[in-house]
Amino acid sequence: MRVLVLNCGGSSVKYQLMEMPSEIVLAKGQVERVGRSDARLTHLAVGKPPLTRTFAALSHQEAIEVALSTLLDPKVGAVKEKSDIDAVGHRVVHGGERCIGSVPITPQVMKVLEDYYDLAPLHNPPNVQGIRACQELMPDVPMAAVFDSSLHQTVPPEAYIYAIPYEFYEKYRVRRYGFHGITFRYMTERVAQLMKRPLEDLKIVNLMLGSGTTACAFDRGRSVDVSTGLTPTEGLIQSTRCGDIDPLVITYLMRKEGLSPDQMDQMLNKTSGWQGISGVSSDLREVFAEAAAGNGRAQLAIDAFVYRCRKYVGAYAAAMGGVDAVVVSGGVGERAPQVREKILSGLEFMGIWVDSARNADGHPERRISPPEAKAEVWVIPTNEELVIARDTYNLVVKGLGSDAAS
């Protein structure tokens, strides 16, 4: 069975075609700069030459049309006909409390995704656009939605409730939801395999450190706390998102600067984070370069980011009553050994420390703590596409899961 995995962001479409259940990647690629006349496609199929091209893609549908035609191209593609694609699995960010697992896509599910536009304005709209484009281009192909938020539906009420009048939870479902759940599923399942221990026996602190960042406390097979909240903005400092902040800072600045809610939303999500502190860039590599050159604000951005991450590791270990493993993933987490070492330094009293040599070099997936450390520290490159492909296969072929939208 061939499963096409799609991840539609605000200005990008990432895709991967996999043979299931053998989990063989047949082709993968992405379209960047969706919405522009100079969109860029990069594509690679097994046994075929790589392809890069620039074209006009003013919508997600146009981008997906080009991706599909590339998959069908006999020179660079991986299938002969659209009918060779047996199912499509879509990454969807927010399903709230109404989609608590991976589900077949139905009109009812689409309504739920649209209902959560307000809570995930940067993510759910392009997710829906991608689904509708696929439905038009491949109307007879079964499709599944795999949610970034659903893993955290096991978080207990005392951890997800906000201390505001309870009526707003009842009226608008305002609560902590959490994100990066697909990545955390892969990270936790994989580290249990590598440690050769049942997942149900492990207390794991996960750090997903990319442009977006999330920490997760995973206690014996269940997510029990997560740093991101009603939206992906809460928690750790991110590339352009502020993370944890005194809520009255928001109203104070709105009054002082005469900002509208939309302008404030833009500031908190687009011009804050390590970019806002440093004044340099949303790319942490550039912030590090400036810090090395003596830029004090760039160094402050790094120090603040590292401190917030370290604080969450300690908090989640306390919440679980201990920690057996710390798992780091994401672009920053996987490729910045100096960040990992800074975050985990000073935690030896918890049985956590990093072996500098292991941390600096080695296989992308590796343990970076010494053998004598009580808690194991692992770097595990994420594979969201594999999780989505597995769930889609199980839903379509095995009939596992159910339409949990309500």
Side-chain angles (χ1 to χ4, degrees):
M1 175 180 176
R2 294 182 179 91
V3 175
L4 176 63
V5 175
L6 274 181
N7 179 357
C8 292
S11 60
S12 67
V13 173
K14 298 178 183 178
Y15 62 90
Q16 194 167 117
L17 184 66
M18 298 186 68
E19 182 71 48
M20 298 297 289
S22 60
E23 302 182 351
I24 296 171
V25 177
L26 303 176
K28 60 182 178 181
Q30 65 177 332
V31 180
E32 301 171 285
R33 301 195 290 252
V34 175
R36 293 169 44 170
S37 59
D38 61 343
R40 183 172 183 266
L41 168 75
T42 55
H43 170 90
L44 179 63
V46 174
K48 302 290 180 66
L51 173 70
T52 300
R53 58 172 291 203
T54 301
F55 64 101
L58 302 182
S59 68
H60 285 78
Q61 176 152 342
E62 290 178 273
I64 292 171
E65 285 176 351
V66 170
L68 278 175
S69 67
T70 305
L71 285 168
L72 296 171
D73 188 323
K75 295 181 180 179
V76 296
V79 290
K80 294 181 179 179
E81 306 287 345
K82 285 183 184 178
S83 58
D84 292 333
I85 299 173
D86 301 297
V88 182
H90 295 267
R91 177 181 181 266
V92 180
V93 167
H94 214 317
E97 294 177 321
R98 296 163 64 187
C99 289
I100 59 174
S102 299
V103 297
I105 293 175
T106 65
Q108 186 182 21
V109 169
M110 294 297 287
K111 176 64 166 57
V112 170
L113 305 190
E114 292 168 346
D115 288 346
Y116 281 98
Y117 275 10
D118 286 348
L119 298 187
L122 302 179
H123 299 89
N124 273 34
N127 294 160
V128 168
Q129 291 165 23
I131 293 169
R132 293 205 185 282
C134 284
Q135 288 175 328
E136 183 170 331
L137 294 167
M138 298 180 283
D140 299 322
V141 176
M143 300 188 189
V146 182
F147 292 90
D148 228 15
S149 59
S150 63
L151 178 79
H152 307 300
Q153 287 300 302
T154 56
V155 171
E158 64 268 23
Y160 73 62
I161 200 69
Y162 289 126
I164 58 175
Y166 192 75
E167 64 190 82
F168 296 119
Y169 170 67
E170 295 177 311
K171 289 172 66 175
Y172 307 119
R173 316 316 286 178
V174 174
R175 51 158 286 183
R176 180 183 310 282
Y177 287 100
F179 301 94
H180 281 125
I182 300 171
T183 279
F184 291 139
R185 281 180 57 191
Y186 182 82
M187 291 165 67
T188 53
E189 291 170 6
R190 182 61 181 151
V191 80
Q193 291 176 342
L194 293 168
M195 293 176 68
K196 299 180 180 179
R197 293 179 60 182
L199 186 57
E200 293 74 18
D201 290 349
L202 295 172
K203 298 177 179 181
I204 305 168
V205 175
N206 299 288
L207 294 174
M208 169 59 189
L209 306 179
S211 176
T213 59
T214 302
C216 172
F218 204 81
D219 189 0
R220 290 165 289 193
R222 295 164 62 89
S223 174
V224 295
D225 206 348
V226 60
S227 62
T228 41
L230 176 75
T231 75
T233 303
E234 189 181 359
L236 305 178
I237 294 171
Q238 306 180 42
S239 59
T240 62
R241 295 183 181 124
C242 63
D244 292 338
I245 189 172
D246 180 344
L248 292 190
V249 168
I250 297 169
T251 53
Y252 177 81
L253 289 177
M254 290 177 72
R255 294 189 189 100
K256 286 289 187 181
E257 296 289 321
L259 300 175
S260 69
D262 286 345
Q263 289 172 320
M264 195 70 219
D265 187 283
Q266 178 80 3
M267 188 192 83
L268 296 174
N269 284 291
K270 292 293 189 178
T271 62
S272 297
W274 58 69
Q275 174 179 290
I277 297 174
S278 70
V280 172
S281 173
S282 62
D283 188 327
L284 197 60
R285 292 169 296 187
E286 296 178 9
V287 179
F288 264 99
E290 279 293 310
N295 186 321
R297 280 179 55 186
Q299 187 60 56
L300 177 61
I302 294 166
D303 292 343
F305 167 62
V306 165
Y307 174 77
R308 188 77 57 84
C309 291
R310 186 187 304 122
K311 185 167 71 170
Y312 267 91
V313 173
Y316 284 169
M320 294 186 292
V323 57
D324 298 302
V326 177
V327 186
V328 185
S329 192
V332 174
E334 294 166 25
R335 294 189 285 273
Q338 70 272 43
V339 170
R340 297 192 297 262
E341 192 149 5
K342 284 177 178 288
I343 290 171
L344 299 174
S345 65
L347 299 181
E348 292 83 4
F349 73 98
M350 297 170 56
I352 299 170
W353 68 88
V354 171
D355 181 287
S356 295
R358 293 185 183 202
N359 184 45
D361 194 22
H363 189 273
E365 180 183 81
R366 66 191 187 278
R367 178 177 173 174
I368 60 172
S369 54
E372 64 271 20
K374 180 181 177 183
E376 298 186 15
V377 182
W378 286 84
V379 179
I380 297 182
T382 187
N383 194 337
E384 291 184 323
E385 292 81 8
L386 181 56
V387 174
I388 295 169
R390 286 171 175 170
D391 279 13
T392 303
Y393 173 79
N394 286 332
L395 283 167
V396 173
V397 172
K398 298 183 179 181
L400 300 179
S402 61
D403 184 344
S406 59

